[in-house]
Amino acid sequence: MRRTVQSALLMLTGAGLLHSSLFTTLYLRYVKEGLRPLLVASGVVLIVLGVVNLVLELRGRSRGGRAGHGHAEDGHAEGGHGHADHGDHGHDHSRAPKVAWLLALPALSLLIYAPPALGAYTASHASTKSAPPVRQTRFEPLPASTAPVPMTLTGFTNRVQQDPAKSLAGRAVQLSGFVTPGGADGGWYLTRIIFTCCAADSQTVKLRMYGPEAPPANTWLSVTGTWHPAGALGTKSAAAGLDVHETHPIAQPVNAYTDDLPLTVGS
């Protein structure tokens, strides 16, 4: 691989990073929102390095051509005994290993074809980690005038298994997430995938849904229901499940890899 091609790959990769992080939201499929400035900076640096590398290569070729012409003239003047200067004995150190061509694939994918977002397959895969419960010792009272109560999947799970006041007993809640099939019994889960830093450390939060048939996998839903009685509410024996009363399809959030509250009640 010639040095000019190396420069082109650097600029192509930089352009891909800028495309995904500065002009679109595709970067949210790979990393958390807070890393966007670093991606933009990395894209700019790669483009600058590619340009500098290309300029140096072109200047080196230009100087080498002039030097070679001068040596040839000197040789003829001294009786034709001119010798080319092969300081590297024929080895071109400006070339990179051929395997470096593989760098073009991720660069092109950022510009042409972005991998699909993580979804039901990832959430149901055996190697996917489940987000550990967050230990809480105090829970704010649920608003008495709000029905259903918008909650995150994590917040619902924590109250089911840790709230000694059993505040979820009989209370309707609203949750949102995407559908993950539950297996041969036809059950399904409302799911969120959460990035701690990036896709490599993703964790899942899944709640078992009871009632209607499983919608298609990866369908984003707003779900209203009440806690499905299983185990002792307010203790670790309580299962985090929901008796579904209503479901409404919703658009996938722009930043899908967080455990956020539903945007609107009943939407």
Side-chain angles (χ1 to χ4, degrees), residues 24-232:
T24 70
T25 57
L26 289 175
Y27 74 98
L28 292 174
R29 297 185 180 184
Y30 316 112
V31 299
K32 292 186 67 174
E33 186 174 13
L35 295 179
R36 184 179 191 180
L38 295 178
L39 292 179
V40 173
S42 298
V44 172
V45 169
L46 287 174
I47 291 176
V48 171
L49 287 176
V51 171
V52 170
N53 192 47
L54 182 60
V55 170
L56 292 176
E57 170 66 9
L58 294 178
R59 285 183 177 178
R61 288 185 181 183
S62 177
R63 292 173 180 172
R66 289 196 298 269
H69 183 68
H71 284 307
E73 291 181 347
D74 292 342
H76 289 300
E78 295 173 3
H81 298 290
H83 298 281
D85 184 9
H86 298 292
D88 287 335
H89 304 288
H91 296 288
D92 185 1
H93 294 287
S94 67
R95 293 177 180 269
K98 291 183 179 180
V99 72
W101 279 104
L102 295 177
L103 291 173
L105 298 180
L108 288 173
S109 72
L110 291 173
L111 289 169
I112 300 174
Y113 174 75
L118 302 182
Y121 175 82
T122 303
S124 60
H125 200 268
S127 62
T128 302
K129 298 180 293 183
S130 295
V134 178
R135 294 188 60 83
Q136 291 184 239
T137 58
R138 183 174 178 273
F139 292 86
E140 295 293 333
L142 294 177
S145 59
T146 302
V149 181
M151 300 188 72
T152 65
L153 302 192
T154 302
F156 179 82
T157 302
N158 289 343
R159 281 189 181 266
V160 165
Q161 298 181 343
Q162 300 181 51
D163 186 5
K166 303 179 182 180
S167 57
L168 286 177
R171 290 300 301 270
V173 299
Q174 183 193 26
L175 312 170
S176 64
F178 64 86
V179 175
T180 299
D185 61 353
W188 57 285
Y189 294 88
L190 194 67
T191 312
R192 287 276 191 162
I193 293 178
I194 305 171
F195 284 0
T196 302
C197 173
C198 58
D201 62 9
S202 61
Q203 298 179 324
T204 62
V205 180
K206 297 193 295 184
L207 300 183
R208 180 63 183 266
M209 301 288 109
Y210 295 88
E213 295 183 359
N218 294 312
T219 302
W220 278 83
L221 297 175
S222 172
V223 179
T224 302
T226 54
W227 174 65
H228 177 76

